[in-house]
């Protein structure tokens, strides 16, 4: 059953402006995870906003659940040290987060 498994989320926020707008919700949205691995924000053509970045978002997540990993490679390194048989990994977001699974299959050994 899913509720009896550890849930890891790989999250890539989309756009600096949207991340800033949803900041408070993002800080609590992942409370039920074992860990939320936060990638760099996918800019979609936007210029960075001061103080709006994946590293700060991960640091401010409630219950210490956030971990900044930067890119898919960083997420792979973090997960291969942590995952156990039966754990669930979900990727959410925009940008290159969709490449994570293929990267993980090639490099997690």
């Amino acid at each position: 059953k899913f509720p009896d498994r550890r849930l890891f989320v790989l999250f890539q926020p989309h756009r600096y402006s949207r991340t800033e707008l949803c900041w408070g919700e993002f800080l609590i949205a992942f409370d039920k995870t074992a860990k939320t691995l936060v990638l760099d924000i996918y800019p979609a053509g936007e210029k960075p906003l001061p103080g709006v970045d994946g590293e700060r978002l991960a640091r401010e997540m409630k219950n210490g659940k956030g971990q900044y990993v930067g890119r898919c490679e960083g997420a792979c390194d973090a997960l291969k040290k942590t995952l156990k048989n039966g754990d669930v990994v979900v990727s959410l977001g925009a940008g290159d987060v969709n490449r994570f699974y293929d990267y993980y299959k090639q490099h997690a050994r």
Side-chain angles (χ1 to χ4, degrees):
K1 293 181 182 178
F2 179 76
D4 298 329
R5 297 165 130 187
R6 295 189 315 162
L7 174 64
F8 292 84
V9 171
L10 179 59
F11 177 54
Q12 184 174 35
H14 182 244
R15 296 182 154 260
Y16 293 99
S17 59
R18 183 173 296 143
T19 302
E20 182 178 47
L21 181 66
C22 298
W23 194 271
E25 289 85 359
F26 288 155
L27 295 181
I28 60 172
F30 303 104
D31 277 358
K32 303 277 190 236
T33 68
K35 186 66 74 176
T36 300
L37 306 171
V38 182
L39 279 75
D40 291 322
I41 295 171
Y42 180 69
E46 285 189 342
K47 295 198 182 307
L49 294 174
V52 179
D53 60 66
E55 188 171 6
R56 180 177 153 226
L57 182 64
R59 187 175 58 250
E60 292 183 6
M61 284 184 171
K62 303 300 179 206
N63 302 323
K65 300 284 180 114
Q67 179 181 346
Y68 173 71
V69 293
R71 300 177 45 85
C72 287
E73 296 83 357
C76 182
D77 292 342
L79 285 173
K80 69 183 176 182
K81 296 175 187 172
T82 309
L83 286 182
K84 297 177 185 172
N85 195 20
D87 287 345
V88 175
V89 178
V90 176
S91 63
L92 305 168
D96 61 357
V97 71
N98 65 333
R99 293 184 314 111
F100 170 74
Y101 182 68
D102 288 333
Y103 186 88
Y104 188 81
K105 284 192 313 187
Q106 293 175 358
H107 297 92
R109 292 179 174 68

